[in-house]
Amino acid sequence: MTTSDLEQFAAWLEELIRRRGFDIDSPRGGGKSRLADEAGVHRAAITRLLQRQSMPDLETTRRLAHVLQVPVREMLIRSGRLTEEDLPLPSPAEGARPAGADGTRHLTLEEAAAGLGVPPEQREMFMRVAGQFLPDTAVERRRPLASD
C-alpha cells in the first residue's frame, strides 16, 4: 500500500460516506460516531482512515462495506490491496441473469434453490413461491412448471 493508495481510497470513501448521509464534516455532526456504531467498529478506526493515517483492517473494511452498501470486492480493489485480477468475478452460470446496473449478477431462482439446499423434488414449488416476490422485470421467463 502506498500513500497514494491510502489518499485515493480515503477520498473515495469520504464521498461515499457523505452520500450515505453521514455528517463527517462538522465537529458536532456525529457522523463518524454514527458510522462507527452502525458498522460495529471503533470510532478511532474511522478517524485514522479519514485523516489518512491508516487503512482499515479486513474486518473493518467488511463492516464498512456492509453499512455503506458497497461490495467488499470493490472496497478491497479501491483500497489498492487487491486487483480485479486477484478477485475475478465468477463467470455467469448457464441461464443466469446478466449483471444489473450496479454490476452485480443476480441469482436465478434455480441457483437460489440449489444454494439454499432445497431438495430437488421441492424446487419447482420453491421457484413458484419465491418468484411471486420478485418484480416482473427481475423474473426471467421460466419454463412452465410441471403443474401448469
Side-chain angles (χ1 to χ4, degrees), residues 106-119:
H106 301 280
L107 294 176
T108 64
L109 291 174
E110 292 89 349
E111 290 172 322
L116 290 168
V118 175

Side-chain angles (χ1 to χ4, degrees), residues 7-70:
E7 174 61 38
Q8 289 176 0
F9 179 66
W12 171 77
L13 200 57
E14 276 182 359
E15 181 58 32
L16 182 61
I17 290 167
R18 287 183 187 105
R19 284 197 320 255
R20 297 293 189 258
F22 294 93
D23 182 3
I24 58 172
D25 297 310
S26 64
R28 300 217 187 270
K32 292 176 193 173
S33 294
R34 195 177 110 221
L35 177 59
D37 289 345
E38 288 186 26
V41 302
H42 291 283
R43 186 180 186 280
I46 305 296
T47 300
R48 284 192 303 269
L49 172 61
L50 295 176
Q51 290 178 351
R52 279 78 167 158
Q53 294 174 351
S54 69
M55 192 71 76
D57 63 27
L58 184 57
E59 183 60 18
T60 300
T61 300
R62 186 187 67 75
R63 290 171 180 244
L64 287 173
H66 177 75
V67 169
L68 298 172
Q69 302 169 347
V70 173

